[in-house]
Amino acid sequence: MLNIRIEKNTAPKAKPTGKLGFGKIFTDHMFLMNYSTEKGWHDARIVPYGDISLDPSAMVFHYAQELFEGMKAYRTAEGKIQLFRPDKNIERMNNTCDRLCVPQINPDDALQAIKALVAVEKDWVPTEDGTSLYIRPFIIATDPMLGVHPSHTYLFIIILSPVGAYYEAGLKPVKIYVEREYVRCVKGGTGLAKAGGNYAASLKGQEKAEKMGYAQVLWLDGIERKYIDEVGAMNVFFVIDGKVITPDLTDGNILPGVTRRSCIEVLKHLGIPVEERKLSIDEVIEAHKNGKLNEVFGTGTAAVISPVGELFDDGNKMIINNNEIGPVAQKLYDTLTGIQWGKIEDPFGWTVSVED
Ligand code: COI
């Protein structure tokens, strides 16, 4: 159990009005905790949100020893605040820690920190339909040192941001660019980890896609450039000839998304067959050619369920489901958001109240 010191912000900001967008507004407080080899994780505190001071030689600036998580707090119709499968995000955070040689955090302590910060900021959990409080825990390496090795000191920070839809278009289908030139990661790399560096590596392809009018990139595997990995900020699902297929995690180059996993579990619960397996871009092209590519959609905490209306691959523009959300994506969206916002019963026990 952490002993969390709380220093209240004496100059709280006005709460936002109007469209929230994604990740542009931050609340009045943040959680901080330090790590040193001698003391382990220590000095847990909630303090006014603001700048942090770091030595310019801090290792995070040079070798990107950084990792993060993304989760949300939801307000129910009764005004209660709940988290969605926080244990899964914390488990993934600790797996990422392991991959990046960062000391892990006791899962109970991490959950306590998240709940405590959200409780302090409860008035920041928005009430409008489709909105939530995005939770961004992250860890940075702070040793002032230019040698390449794991840091001995770290800072764990949690910040909060009231958010609406990740994409401007909301639930409207997005256009995705199939990237054949750049890759996001390779087998044996850090693709399975939620490392900031993975996202830095994705920017060049992402920028290229955006310039061409596409929302995000569909990454192919880094070795054969043949198999589908994931989309920039989401895992990806395909419905081909009535079967739901998503790339499997066995090669370690796909982020094990909590929404991805939840979708698979919801589909199984509904008796809809779902396959986790290698899926080549050629199979997708072929299915489209034969009129069997029924649906494509992305899944993620930020993006929730995001239908894909167009895949653009090497001059080949594939329009999917008439550029409309399909029945599988709609069902998953309704089920997941229904559970998250407490509108429907949660048969899985996935929601966790912040007040407990
Ligand atoms: C999330 O879905 O929470 C993510 O972390 C994706 C992020 C890159 C926006």
Side-chain angles (χ1 to χ4, degrees):
M1 177 98 176
L2 288 177
N3 179 16
I4 305 176
R5 174 169 64 82
I6 299 183
E7 182 190 331
K8 278 289 179 89
N9 191 332
T10 52
K13 293 176 270 212
K15 304 286 183 298
T17 52
K19 228 170 165 206
L20 291 170
F22 182 84
K24 297 179 193 152
I25 301 158
F26 298 95
T27 67
D28 292 319
H29 298 86
M30 59 187 179
F31 174 92
L32 300 175
M33 182 161 73
N34 293 78
Y35 177 90
S36 67
T37 318
E38 306 75 43
K39 291 190 184 167
W41 286 108
H42 65 280
D43 197 12
R45 59 214 187 265
I46 291 173
V47 295
Y49 184 93
D51 294 353
I52 54 170
S53 171
L54 289 175
D55 194 295
S57 67
M59 291 182 77
V60 65
F61 295 136
H62 305 277
Y63 309 121
Q65 199 188 5
E66 187 269 357
L67 60 102
F68 68 97
E69 268 304 321
M71 47 208 292
K72 283 175 174 170
Y74 306 84
R75 190 180 290 281
T76 67
E78 298 78 43
K80 281 177 50 188
I81 299 167
Q82 56 188 29
L83 306 171
F84 182 74
R85 311 191 83 178
D87 53 316
K88 293 291 170 240
N89 287 92
I90 292 168
E91 184 183 303
R92 186 176 64 186
M93 180 175 80
N94 276 330
N95 289 340
T96 305
C97 283
D98 181 59
R99 180 62 182 82
L100 296 187
C101 301
V102 172
Q104 296 182 337
I105 298 179
N106 176 310
D108 293 337
D109 291 351
L111 183 59
Q112 186 195 341
I114 291 162
K115 282 184 171 181
L117 183 63
V118 174
V120 165
E121 300 290 54
K122 61 181 187 312
D123 295 342
W124 280 90
V125 183
T127 49
E128 293 77 32
D129 234 20
T131 62
S132 56
L133 186 66
Y134 189 75
I135 304 168
R136 173 51 62 88
F138 61 106
I139 302 178
I140 54 175
T142 53
D143 269 9
M145 172 76 76
L146 296 184
V148 181
H149 60 73
S151 183
H152 300 95
T153 59
Y154 296 88
L155 194 54
F156 175 46
I157 307 178
I158 309 172
I159 56 174
L160 305 175
S161 173
V163 298
Y166 185 72
Y167 297 109
E168 291 259 311
L171 240 196
K172 253 186 78 205
V174 291
K175 291 164 66 175
I176 301 287
Y177 182 88
V178 181
E179 177 56 60
R180 297 253 184 188
E181 183 185 3
Y182 301 108
V183 298
R184 174 184 165 270
C185 67
V186 292
K187 188 173 175 176
T190 56
L192 78 177
K194 206 144 177 72
N198 289 345
Y199 295 80
S202 77
L203 294 177
K204 193 79 180 163
Q206 171 74 20
E207 188 182 60
K208 188 171 96 181
E210 276 174 14
K211 274 191 188 141
M212 295 175 67
Y214 290 84
Q216 289 209 354
V217 162
L218 177 70
W219 297 106
L220 301 180
D221 79 274
I223 296 172
E224 294 183 71
R225 317 262 173 116
K226 180 173 170 189
Y227 296 105
I228 287 160
D229 266 8
E230 63 181 63
V231 173
M234 320 186 279
N235 293 117
V236 65
F237 284 69
F238 296 78
V239 185
I240 297 179
D241 204 13
K243 267 202 208 103
V244 187
I245 305 159
T246 193
D248 66 294
L249 304 176
T250 41
D251 280 349
N253 40 346
I254 293 174
L255 188 80
V258 177
T259 313
R260 172 191 179 279
R261 180 188 184 125
S262 304
C263 284
I264 293 170
E265 290 173 34
V266 166
L267 289 166
K268 287 188 175 159
H269 180 77
L270 294 172
I272 300 173
V274 49
E275 294 174 9
E276 289 178 78
R277 64 164 169 89
K278 276 196 189 321
L279 176 64
S280 71
I281 187 67
D282 292 341
E283 187 178 338
V284 171
I285 294 167
E286 191 61 23
H288 181 261
K289 218 192 284 166
N290 299 332
K292 292 188 173 168
L293 183 58
N294 313 129
E295 290 184 51
V296 181
F297 54 91
T299 66
T301 299
V304 196
I305 304 291
S306 183
V308 176
E310 179 188 327
L311 275 179
F312 184 81
D313 174 51
D314 212 8
N316 177 16
K317 193 185 268 209
M318 294 176 266
I319 302 293
I320 299 137
N321 196 41
N322 209 15
N323 207 13
E324 283 165 21
I325 185 166
V328 176
Q330 186 70 58
K331 182 73 193 161
L332 287 170
Y333 180 84
D334 293 344
T335 309
L336 284 186
T337 59
I339 292 172
Q340 288 164 340
W341 275 280
K343 290 183 193 161
I344 62 173
E345 201 209 328
D346 169 13
F348 306 99
W350 284 342
T351 50
V352 173
S353 167
V354 164
E355 285 91 6
D356 302 341

